[in-house]
Amino acid sequence: VAATAIGVLDRSGCAACHTAPRGRGNVNLYTAAGVFSPDVSPTDILASLTRAERAMPLNQAPLSREGLAAVEAWAKLAKR
């Protein structure tokens, strides 16, 4: 589930800002530590994709319903 969600984020243009050496917002999609940071959870990432103002990915098309569903499934699993 996590790999699917991260793949969606990567293909959606998120990696343009969220890669090494230090991803913006403490999110780095290319390292496990950057994706599973204690500072940022999958739930936080989902919130940034769905908020009304400054929704991510910034200056990109919003994620498809399927893409959002993949990230939402990941966030639900991470809450357990």
Side-chain angles (χ1 to χ4, degrees):
V1 173
T4 300
I6 293 167
V8 166
L9 297 173
D10 185 34
R11 290 187 301 278
S12 298
C14 300
C17 294
H18 297 290
T19 55
R22 181 174 178 196
R24 291 184 184 172
N26 293 325
V27 176
N28 183 337
L29 295 175
Y30 291 153
T31 68
V35 173
F36 300 105
S37 163
D39 298 329
V40 180
S41 71
T43 303
D44 295 328
I45 293 172
L46 178 63
S48 74
L49 296 169
T50 57
R51 66 181 173 224
E53 292 184 20
R54 294 201 64 206
M56 296 291 149
L58 195 60
N59 301 321
Q60 302 283 338
L63 269 64
S64 66
R65 284 182 187 225
E66 295 82 11
L68 280 174
V71 176
E72 185 174 21
W74 177 39
K76 285 180 182 178
L77 282 175
K79 282 185 176 182
R80 294 182 181 176

